[in-house]
């Protein structure tokens, strides 16, 4: 926690967003703050400007499948803000203070200088012959520091660059190497769905995404169709992955043999959206079987197709 004269035992917990490098975290304050309130809070880079997005979600108030009574960001139906919670030392940092009009004016002034600072840094990168791509620059609001974010294929020795920039700006210089996904998260843009990048719009952490997620959802494995503008797999592949795994647990796995009459058919594909199985028989024959017509027999250890469905198909 920040060092204050006296930390209150009870506090309100808020979701704070940094508008400059898209960082989202939780911070505490001893009174009600409304969405859009500018504050100065402790970030991983130092004291900086943040915007209150709203109260933090309540513990245990997550979404349950089938629930239609869902409230947003920790609010409930009767009270817009939850009750303050008991704080433990070291649990969550307190907001340092509410941003003043003077600080907001300084923020706008420094924001206007960032593009110029980026141009200066690019010139120094060329002079020092460094293999790096500058992404963005940011002046901290409450500390004499400027941060330059960059991408590179390998580690970069930028010690001379830091000296050159320090002599120009007379501030502490920090260079942060980031990945291509982090670059998209910082600058934003339109994704293949026509909306802003998920990583830039609302994600607080970069969750790992694997090709298995696309396979489990029966999506095309073409890299052009399942990759974002950053060149990495789409973040949204992760959103429904757990749901597909949960649903597929009630289906016969692909490759399972189902007996229809006197013939064995092979499960070729499971479609959880249509609740049907695609099965292949001999001589290239295929058909769809509704999930409702298939059940797992515990005694025999085999999946079986209902007799009613077999009579209908074989009649």
């Amino acid at each position: 926690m920040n060092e204050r004269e006296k930390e209150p035992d009870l506090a309100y917990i808020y979701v704070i967003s940094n508008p400059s490098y898209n960082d989202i975290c939780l911070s505490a304050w001893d009174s009600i703050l409304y969405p859009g309130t500018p504050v100065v809070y402790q970030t991983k880079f130092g004291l900086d400007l943040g915007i209150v997005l709203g109260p933090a979600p309540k513990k245990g108030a997550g979404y349950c499948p089938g629930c239609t009574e869902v409230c947003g960001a920790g609010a409930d139906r009767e009270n817009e803000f939850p009750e303050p919670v008991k704080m433990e030392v070291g649990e969550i940092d307190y907001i340092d203070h509410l941003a003043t009009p003077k600080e907001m004016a300084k923020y706008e002034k420094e924001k206007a200088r960032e593009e110029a600072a980026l141009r200066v840094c690019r010139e120094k990168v060329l002079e020092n012959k460094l293999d790096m791509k500058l992404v963005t620059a940011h002046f901290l609001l409450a500390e004499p520091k400027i941060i330059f974010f960059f991408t590179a294929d390998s580690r970069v020795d930028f010690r001379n660059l830091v000296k050159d920039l320090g002599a120009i700006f007379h501030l502490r210089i920090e260079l942060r190497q980031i990945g291509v996904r982090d670059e998209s998260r910082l600058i934003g843009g339109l994704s293949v769905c026509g909306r802003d990048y998920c990583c830039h719009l609302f994600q607080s952490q970069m969750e790992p995404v694997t090709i298995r997620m696309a396979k489990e959802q029966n999506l095309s494995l073409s890299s052009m169709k399942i990759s974002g503008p950053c060149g990495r797999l789409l973040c949204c592949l992760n959103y429904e992955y757990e749901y597909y795994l949960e649903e597929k647990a009630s289906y016969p796995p692909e490759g399972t043999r189902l007996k229809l009459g006197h013939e064995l058919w092979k499960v070729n594909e499971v479609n959880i959206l249509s609740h049907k199985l695609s099965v292949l028989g001999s001589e290239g024959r295929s058909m769809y079987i509704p999930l409702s017509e298939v059940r797992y027999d515990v005694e025999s250890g085999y999946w079986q197709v209902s007799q009613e469905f077999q009579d209908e198909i074989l009649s």
Side-chain angles (χ1 to χ4, degrees), residues 1-20:
M1 284 186 177
N2 296 333
E3 295 183 0
R4 296 156 63 105
E5 293 182 0
K6 182 180 180 182
E7 300 287 8
D9 294 332
L10 297 176
Y12 295 87
I13 311 299
Y14 297 98
V15 180
I16 310 295
S17 172
N18 187 292
S20 298

Side-chain angles (χ1 to χ4, degrees), residues 4 8-9 93 105 117 120 125 136 141 143-144 166 176 199 230 260 281 290:
R4 296 156 63 105
D9 294 332
D93 283 337
V120 171
V125 167
T136 186
L141 177 67
E143 293 190 18
R176 286 270 176 165
C199 57
C230 63
L260 286 171

